[in-house]
Amino acid sequence: MNKKEAAKAIGHIPSGLFIVATSDGGKREGYLASWVQQVSFDPLLISIAINKDRPGYDAIKAGKTFTVNVVGEHEMGYLKYFWSGYDPADSPFDKIENSLTESGGLVLKDAKSVLECRLKESIDPGDHEIIIAEVTASYVLSEGAPIKVHTRATGLDY
């Protein structure tokens, strides 16, 4: 199999765009994710592929509440803070409107919807870890907004 040809076809697999966010002891972190998928109806579970260097990874692995903020086409301006990463000393959460749920989930005001989650298990099959998370709550913020769909030029990079 030609790896470049296979990678091109893999890039055609559509996904959404998401900001995975944590708030742990007042420290708010998050990153732009595209590899998120539902994996179970009962219990309600999702999978997230995460690079171990991503902001919030340690809090997620420690079992802290985290959120998956679904990006809608109605408002994508906040993505600029996450697209190429950010300096931890210059937190995007100081620049974009957000709030915390009673369980400590970090909600972005301009997201389409938000899934509040907790780690159930994880596996480490390659250069990204697969997090299986239980959805403990959800919030719909912009009911009619279309979801931002994303494809990549190749399956070899984001």
Side-chain angles (χ1 to χ4, degrees), residues 37-157:
Q37 189 66 46
Q38 182 177 352
V39 296
S40 174
F41 292 121
D42 188 18
L44 197 53
L45 300 174
I46 62 170
S47 66
I48 303 169
I50 182 172
N51 183 306
K52 295 174 187 175
D53 295 332
R54 293 288 187 207
Y57 172 82
D58 291 336
I60 291 169
K61 286 295 287 188
K64 303 290 184 184
T65 295
F66 68 95
T67 55
V68 177
N69 292 264
V70 179
V71 176
E73 288 188 4
H74 68 292
E75 177 56 74
M76 297 186 304
Y78 60 89
L79 288 179
K80 67 184 175 187
Y81 297 108
F82 299 97
W83 202 262
S84 298
Y86 59 89
D87 179 346
D90 188 25
S91 173
F93 299 103
D94 294 335
K95 299 174 179 116
I96 56 178
E97 197 169 339
N98 62 83
S99 61
L100 293 178
T101 67
E102 286 183 20
S103 301
L106 185 55
V107 173
L108 301 183
K109 175 191 171 276
D110 291 326
K112 174 182 175 49
S113 56
V114 181
L115 305 172
E116 195 168 56
C117 305
R118 280 205 182 255
L119 174 71
K120 184 168 178 71
E121 60 185 278
S122 64
I123 57 172
D124 196 357
D127 63 0
H128 283 66
E129 189 167 341
I130 307 299
I131 300 294
I132 305 297
E134 185 164 5
V135 177
T136 57
S138 66
Y139 312 92
V140 176
L141 307 179
S142 289
E143 181 75 42
I147 296 166
K148 176 63 180 162
V149 177
H150 175 70
T151 58
R152 297 171 287 135
T154 174
L156 296 176
D157 61 36

